Amino acid sequence: MIKKIYLFFSNLSILLMLFGAVVFFILFGQDAILFLAQKYLSENAIKYKTVEGRLFDGIVIKELNYKDSIKIDEIRVSYNLLMLLNPTTGLKYLSADGVHVNIDKILQLQNQDSKIPIFALNISHVDLKRANIIYKGESYTFDLSGENLSIRDVLDIERVKLDLNSPYAKASVTGKINSNRLIGKSTLVVDEKYLKFMDEKPKKLYADVDISAKNMHIKTSANKLTLKNIENLELKSADIELLYSFEDDFLTLLSKYSAFYENFEALVKQESLIRFNDTYELKLDVDITRDEHDLPFKSFVLKIKMDDNGSRADFDAKDFIVKGHTKDYKNYSFKADTIYANMDGELELGKNLFSISGELYPKKDMPYYKELKLEKFPKLNLFLSKNQDVIKADLSRDLFSLALEKNKTDEIKGVAKVGSNSFYINGNLKTKEFKVDSNIDSLKTFISEVDLKLFDKELPFDAKLKASSLISYKDKLEITTKVDLSHYTLKLDSQNIYSGRDAFFEFFYTNDEIMLKRYRLEISNHKIESQKPSKITIDKDGNLLLREFWVYDNLLFSGKIIPSNMSADLRLKSDSFHYETKDINVTLSANLQLFIDGSGVQKVDGEITVLDATIMYAPQREYAIGDEDIIIIQDIKTQKKMANRDLNIRISSLKPIRYKIKEADITFTPNLTIYQELDGKMQLFGMLQVHDGKVKISDKVFEVDESEIYFYDGEYTNPHLNLNLHYYTLDNIDIEIFITNRLNSPVIIFASNPQMSQDDILSYILFGGTASSVFTTGSSTASLSSVLLGAGLKEMLNKSTNLKIDTLNILTNQDGTLGYEIGTRFSKKIRVVYKNNEISSVILQYSLNKSLRIDVDIKETGQGVSIYYMKDF
């Protein structure tokens, strides 16, 4: 029995020894490690060069390689053998040197459904040295040490320290990893190439980091930042957040800071999007906290996008929108759209200077747009520059230019040129006052140069003027202007030219109201002036409202003028308008309504009543030329169509009007109506009642008796006459002269008391005696008396009229009555003869040459043409 027991323990001991030998061989022998490495690593496609160590406490694997996606130069594992028997493998220490991980290839293997071995593992301490990760073609190197690492479906590390070197920044991180998410504190040094747009920047950034497999979130701050390309700009108290998406490969930067630029301060919220293909997007929300330039907005949004082609920017402040582009951050191209104007321009930035140039398109909301008539300049060329304390600005367009310069004391000097004229400007931005002086040699040339379409045809008015204006815009725009006209002319046609000298106008403008304080001008030696202020208002549509417009302080215009279509609705009124010159002294009342529509139709209706008048105007002998070779052509404008006018003006007088000149002193009373229908001829209806008076012709005095002059059709320059004159001889003979028919063909009838023949009446008028006493009787002497009578009448008429008569013959008819023949020569070849004996006729004589003449004879009974041949003997 004992032997059997002994044999059992002996065999058991041998068996235990064998088992111990096997276990010892497995735990401490190399073959077991090689077998396990071959069994588990090779089956999972993990290659290695050597495996060293003992299964009992740790191993060393060199040159481990997993499908060229994970490479490790050397990996050391230390563990407790009992921890290997747990369901979750536990290691005391894991270190790896020369780790190379290509995430791009790992992602490819996942897409190919390759099985990547995942181990459930706990590690008390881990060290990774010279680790290198390849992600999207870029290399990230780091050293990592951690405590209490756990690998299951996710990675957890209780404490971790990471030193990272990437293409973008260097970072040192301490923290923990929770479910593949690194949370900790970091020190960052951003790569210089990503901060090249900054001049002053922090060398290190202290940040909070939150990094997962998908995103990276970093929070940091900076006390002061400055930009290279924008001088004098400082960013202070900046809070910065960086969010990086590993999947989309872009970095989002969120920041808040205070921005300071010269006298400008603002709070800024910034959102930036950085793609690592050299593209950059920026959005700024800016609230302005200090602004000494009174910008028309208090907040704005700025969006910037940068790529290989440069930088593009969008500025939006509601009513101000700007889009810009630059390639070198010194020269910028931009387009601006504001409520005041549009602009296409270029901006250049440099050290202590900047300049803007481009094309400006003003809008109607631009300040002083209507006041300065900027609608006449739809496009302006703009240049603005600042150098130290001096700002220069230039505006130009065609014949217009404006150059201004402001110094550090806010004084402004400049000159504006419009056409060939210059306007000199002096002022101060602090006092908000400007003075503008100008000299214009020709107003007509000035209006032509600036292309003001005031008239359909050539401007009939011209003047040389000097203007001085004081412009103030302290609380509102006010303009005080004085205009002096040293010389001016008004040309209606070649025969109606009026001129004057030394006229002036004084204006005051404010609140869309123009006050003509006083003025004086002269037309054909007639002065027109007023010391009473005239008030003109401009409404929101640009129309002129004449509240009061005075002429001579007692003639008032009121109503509305619409410049857009050149229409007007005016009223002219005066209870006692007095006008006096050397030609006339008149007092009248007037009440007229004038309407002009946009198509040019004129309508005038009203009354003019003469209260008292004396006329001293004597017609002048104008255009008197004695050379027969000169032909005078009068400027008579033919009407292609009837005037577009409607007139109904009544003219009357409360008392007789006196017409007094050297040759005449007559009183008369008008009772007339000027009438015209649209597209009709102007007509004059009524009469002039001649009361009495005297007319002196060639030392002969004719007394005017009760007479009338009638108007009743369109021939208002050719009225019907019913004149009654008396000539009293020295021997008390009363010679009556009756003038009837129309003015252009009067019929003159002579009568006397006591009764005399026509020869005696004319002889009395011309020579003071009867024909029988002045001339001897007989046929030859009778002919001679007719010639002498004609010569005397010709001399008397030439002295008293503007018509130069070269022939006047008295004709004796068969019945003993007298006729007359009047001739006048218009040129060397043309002569007109009017003959009135038994019948009236007009003969037009045209000399072809010295010997041949053609007479065209127009009589009451018919017409005829005669050809005469003259021969000298």
Side-chain angles (χ1 to χ4, degrees):
M1 183 70 182
I2 295 174
K3 184 178 181 180
K4 291 181 178 180
I5 294 173
Y6 174 78
L7 183 62
F8 169 78
F9 280 106
S10 176
N11 293 332
L12 179 62
S13 299
I14 295 172
L15 181 63
L16 290 174
M17 293 178 62
L18 290 174
F19 177 77
V22 171
V23 171
F24 180 83
F25 175 78
I26 293 173
L27 294 178
F28 297 96
Q30 289 287 326
D31 292 336
I33 294 296
L34 293 176
F35 172 79
L36 292 175
Q38 181 69 26
K39 174 68 177 175
Y40 293 103
L41 296 181
S42 298
E43 287 183 357
N44 289 284
I46 298 176
K47 298 179 181 181
Y48 57 91
K49 182 177 181 181
T50 61
V51 176
E52 299 175 355
R54 299 178 302 178
L55 187 60
F56 177 76
D57 55 4
I59 61 173
V60 177
I61 304 174
K62 295 184 178 181
E63 297 185 17
L64 185 144
N65 186 330
Y66 174 73
K67 295 187 177 181
D68 294 330
S69 62
I70 299 176
K71 295 180 180 180
I72 303 175
D73 292 345
E74 181 182 280
I75 182 169
R76 291 180 178 272
V77 181
S78 176
Y79 48 83
N80 188 323
L81 181 61
L82 295 178
M83 295 296 298
L84 295 179
L85 302 177
N86 289 337
T88 300
T89 303
L91 303 178
K92 290 195 307 182
Y93 174 74
L94 173 65
S95 69
D97 189 9
V99 179
H100 301 275
V101 179
N102 192 325
I103 296 179
D104 295 334
K105 288 188 177 182
I106 292 175
L107 294 176
Q108 289 179 2
L109 294 175
Q110 287 181 338
N111 293 334
Q112 296 170 3
D113 295 328
S114 295
K115 186 176 181 179
I116 298 177
I118 300 296
F119 301 97
L121 188 64
N122 290 329
I123 304 176
S124 297
H125 182 81
V126 62
D127 278 320
L128 300 180
K129 297 181 180 179
R130 296 190 302 115
N132 181 34
I133 295 176
I134 305 297
Y135 179 65
K136 292 190 176 180
E138 293 187 343
S139 177
Y140 301 83
T141 61
F142 63 91
D143 292 335
L144 182 146
S145 64
E147 300 290 336
N148 298 325
L149 180 147
S150 174
I151 300 177
R152 290 175 179 82
D153 295 329
V154 294
L155 174 65
D156 294 301
I157 302 179
E158 189 174 313
R159 290 184 297 275
V160 66
K161 185 176 185 303
L162 173 68
D163 292 322
L164 174 67
N165 189 359
S166 74
Y168 314 109
K170 293 181 179 180
S172 177
V173 182
T174 58
K176 65 179 180 178
I177 296 177
N178 187 5
S179 299
N180 296 336
R181 181 180 172 188
L182 172 62
I183 301 172
K185 304 254 182 215
S186 173
T187 302
L188 295 175
V189 179
V190 182
D191 192 284
E192 183 69 25
K193 66 180 179 180
Y194 296 105
L195 298 177
K196 61 183 178 181
F197 60 93
M198 301 182 68
D199 189 12
E200 183 175 348
K201 52 189 176 292
K203 295 181 178 180
K204 292 182 179 181
L205 292 174
Y206 299 95
D208 296 329
V209 298
D210 186 345
I211 304 174
S212 66
K214 294 182 178 181
N215 299 302
M216 178 175 63
H217 187 187
I218 300 175
K219 289 184 178 181
T220 186
S221 62
N223 291 327
K224 183 178 178 181
L225 303 172
T226 60
L227 304 181
K228 286 184 178 180
N229 299 310
I230 305 178
E231 294 186 3
N232 302 322
L233 175 63
E234 293 184 359
L235 310 181
K236 294 183 179 180
S237 302
D239 294 327
I240 304 170
E241 289 187 51
L242 295 96
L243 296 95
Y244 176 68
S245 172
F246 294 102
E247 294 180 348
D248 298 325
D249 192 25
F250 66 81
L251 176 66
T252 301
L253 185 148
L254 304 175
S255 58
K256 295 179 182 179
Y257 51 85
S258 297
F260 299 84
Y261 182 78
E262 296 184 346
N263 297 320
F264 177 91
E265 293 181 11
L267 294 177
V268 183
K269 293 181 180 179
Q270 176 177 333
E271 180 178 344
S272 304
L273 178 64
I274 303 172
R275 298 184 184 277
F276 295 101
N277 54 357
D278 293 330
T279 63
Y280 177 80
E281 295 181 19
L282 168 69
K283 179 183 177 183
L284 299 177
D285 287 294
V286 181
D287 291 322
I288 300 172
T289 57
R290 184 166 70 95
D291 170 29
E292 294 186 358
H293 300 290
D294 295 328
L295 292 175
F297 48 83
K298 296 302 179 183
S299 63
F300 62 87
V301 176
L302 175 63
K303 296 180 180 179
I304 298 175
K305 184 175 182 180
M306 293 185 291
D307 53 27
D308 293 339
N309 296 321
S311 176
R312 290 174 296 280
D314 293 340
F315 176 90
D316 188 350
K318 291 185 178 179
D319 295 328
F320 296 83
I321 298 175
V322 181
K323 296 181 181 295
H325 174 74
T326 183
K327 288 187 175 181
D328 55 9
Y329 302 98
K330 293 182 180 179
N331 299 281
Y332 298 80
S333 300
F334 66 90
K335 290 181 178 290
D337 184 0
T338 75
I339 58 172
Y340 300 135
N342 290 342
M343 183 177 178
D344 294 338
E346 301 287 335
L347 170 65
E348 181 179 353
L349 296 177
K351 188 174 183 179
N352 296 323
L353 65 87
F354 76 89
S355 65
I356 297 176
S357 61
E359 295 177 341
L360 187 70
Y361 301 86
K363 292 183 179 179
K364 64 179 181 179
D365 291 326
M366 189 172 190
Y368 318 131
Y369 178 80
K370 293 180 180 179
E371 294 86 347
L372 300 178
K373 299 297 182 184
L374 291 180
E375 68 270 16
K376 297 296 182 182
F377 304 96
K379 183 176 76 169
L380 296 169
N381 298 319
L382 170 67
F383 178 78
L384 179 67
S385 67
K386 179 181 178 181
N387 188 354
Q388 299 296 335
D389 295 321
V390 178
I391 298 177
K392 295 182 179 181
D394 288 277
L395 279 175
S396 63
R397 172 63 177 170
D398 298 332
L399 297 175
F400 167 80
S401 66
L402 172 64
L404 297 174
E405 181 177 312
K406 183 187 82 70
N407 59 22
K408 62 182 179 180
T409 61
D410 285 338
E411 291 183 356
I412 289 183
K413 293 184 178 181
V415 59
K417 292 187 177 181
V418 181
S420 56
N421 302 281
S422 299
F423 302 82
Y424 299 94
I425 303 168
N426 287 280
N428 192 288
L429 290 176
K430 291 182 179 178
T431 61
K432 296 184 177 181
E433 286 187 345
F434 289 89
K435 185 180 180 183
V436 181
D437 296 311
S438 59
N439 290 292
I440 298 178
D441 291 332
S442 171
L443 181 62
K444 184 176 180 180
T445 302
F446 172 73
I447 292 176
S448 174
E449 288 176 338
V450 299
D451 196 26
L452 291 177
K453 302 296 184 181
L454 300 179
F455 295 88
D456 294 334
K457 297 182 180 179
E458 183 182 9
L459 180 68
F461 181 77
D462 197 8
K464 180 178 181 180
L465 62 87
K466 179 180 180 181
S468 179
S469 300
L470 180 64
I471 303 172
S472 173
Y473 59 97
K474 295 177 182 177
D475 299 319
K476 56 186 176 181
L477 178 65
E478 294 181 346
I479 304 175
T480 302
T481 302
K482 183 179 181 182
V483 180
D484 293 295
L485 281 68
S486 59
H487 177 75
Y488 53 94
T489 59
L490 176 63
K491 180 180 179 181
L492 301 180
D493 51 53
S494 62
Q495 295 186 14
N496 294 284
I497 302 176
Y498 305 97
S499 63
R501 292 181 178 275
D502 301 327
F504 73 86
F505 300 87
E506 290 186 9
F507 297 96
F508 178 74
Y509 170 88
T510 186
N511 290 335
D512 291 331
E513 181 178 271
I514 300 174
M515 180 182 292
L516 180 57
K517 299 171 66 175
R518 62 192 185 105
Y519 67 92
R520 184 187 69 224
L521 68 154
E522 181 180 290
I523 299 179
S524 291
N525 299 321
H526 299 288
K527 291 184 178 180
I528 302 174
E529 60 183 348
S530 177
Q531 299 295 324
K532 186 177 290 188
S534 298
K535 298 179 181 179
I536 305 171
T537 302
I538 304 175
D539 64 15
K540 62 180 181 179
D541 298 321
N543 302 322
L544 302 179
L545 305 180
L546 303 185
R547 295 168 53 192
E548 295 179 1
F549 189 89
W550 292 99
V551 179
Y552 295 113
D553 298 337
N554 50 24
L555 186 61
L556 176 63
F557 281 89
S558 61
K560 183 178 183 179
I561 299 175
I562 304 176
S564 60
N565 60 1
M566 296 305 293
S567 64
D569 187 359
L570 302 174
R571 185 181 181 187
L572 185 151
K573 183 174 175 53
S574 177
D575 295 328
S576 180
F577 170 67
H578 181 73
Y579 179 71
E580 181 178 2
T581 67
K582 66 178 183 178
D583 295 326
I584 189 172
N585 186 350
V586 61
T587 302
L588 54 83
S589 66
N591 190 354
L592 296 176
Q593 194 73 30
L594 170 64
F595 175 77
I596 304 173
D597 67 13
S599 61
V601 175
Q602 306 171 24
K603 184 176 181 180
V604 184
D605 191 294
E607 297 180 353
I608 297 175
T609 302
V610 180
L611 305 179
D612 187 19
T614 300
I615 301 173
M616 294 82 71
Y617 174 72
Q620 303 295 320
R621 293 192 178 190
E622 298 175 343
Y623 316 113
I625 301 176
D627 194 339
E628 292 182 347
D629 292 330
I630 298 177
I631 300 175
I632 299 174
I633 300 176
Q634 185 179 7
D635 182 16
I636 301 176
K637 295 182 285 185
T638 59
Q639 279 189 306
K640 296 182 180 180
K641 62 178 182 178
M642 298 297 182
N644 207 10
R645 187 166 50 217
D646 189 331
L647 301 177
N648 187 14
I649 303 174
R650 281 80 64 193
I651 302 176
S652 61
S653 178
L654 296 181
K655 60 185 293 186
I657 298 172
R658 186 180 184 187
Y659 180 68
K660 188 178 186 310
I661 58 175
K662 182 179 180 181
E663 294 84 3
D665 188 353
I666 301 171
T667 60
F668 64 92
T669 301
N671 188 6
L672 303 171
T673 298
I674 301 174
Y675 182 80
Q676 183 177 19
E677 293 182 345
L678 291 177
D679 296 330
K681 295 180 64 176
M682 188 171 73
Q683 302 180 65
L684 187 63
F685 297 102
M687 63 175 290
L688 293 179
Q689 180 68 46
V690 182
H691 302 292
D692 55 24
K694 295 181 179 180
V695 177
K696 186 177 181 181
I697 301 177
S698 188
D699 297 329
K700 304 295 188 298
V701 178
F702 299 84
E703 295 188 6
V704 180
D705 206 347
E706 289 283 345
S707 304
E708 297 84 25
I709 300 176
Y710 297 97
F711 302 87
Y712 55 81
D713 56 17
E715 301 294 332
Y716 51 87
T717 59
N718 189 26
H720 284 263
L721 306 178
N722 185 21
L723 302 179
N724 187 8
L725 287 78
H726 292 268
Y727 176 71
Y728 296 97
T729 67
L730 294 177
D731 48 359
N732 297 322
I733 297 175
D734 180 11
I735 298 176
E736 290 186 90
I737 304 172
F738 300 97
I739 304 175
T740 63
N741 208 21
R742 284 187 178 266
L743 181 63
N744 65 351
S745 57
V747 175
I748 304 175
I749 301 174
F750 296 96
S752 65
N753 185 17
Q755 185 176 357
M756 293 186 298
S757 67
Q758 299 286 304
D759 280 343
D760 288 338
I761 291 174
L762 283 177
S763 180
Y764 257 105
I765 294 174
L766 295 173
F767 304 109
T770 62
S772 59
S773 64
V774 176
F775 308 105
T776 57
T777 60
S779 59
S780 61
T781 55
S783 299
L784 180 60
S785 66
S786 298
V787 173
L788 293 176
L789 283 171
L793 187 57
K794 172 187 174 185
E795 180 182 0
M796 183 176 69
L797 293 176
N798 276 336
K799 289 181 179 180
S800 60
T801 66
N802 289 330
L803 183 65
K804 303 298 292 183
I805 298 173
D806 59 13
T807 302
L808 194 152
N809 295 321
I810 304 299
L811 306 177
T812 304
N813 299 326
Q814 293 180 357
D815 56 3
T817 61
L818 292 179
Y820 53 88
E821 180 182 71
I822 300 174
T824 183
R825 181 175 296 279
F826 289 95
S827 71
K828 188 174 182 179
K829 292 186 177 183
I830 299 176
R831 186 168 176 269
V832 176
V833 177
Y834 173 71
K835 183 184 291 185
N836 185 359
N837 45 8
E838 296 178 355
I839 59 175
S840 297
S841 64
V842 177
I843 303 173
L844 176 64
Q845 297 177 347
Y846 181 76
S847 299
L848 296 174
N849 52 47
K850 185 177 180 181
S851 303
L852 196 61
R853 191 185 78 202
I854 297 177
D855 286 8
V856 180
D857 190 0
I858 303 175
K859 304 178 181 179
E860 296 178 2
T861 57
Q863 299 85 29
V865 178
S866 303
I867 301 176
Y868 292 90
Y869 177 76
M870 283 76 71
K871 180 69 176 177
D872 292 334
F873 294 96

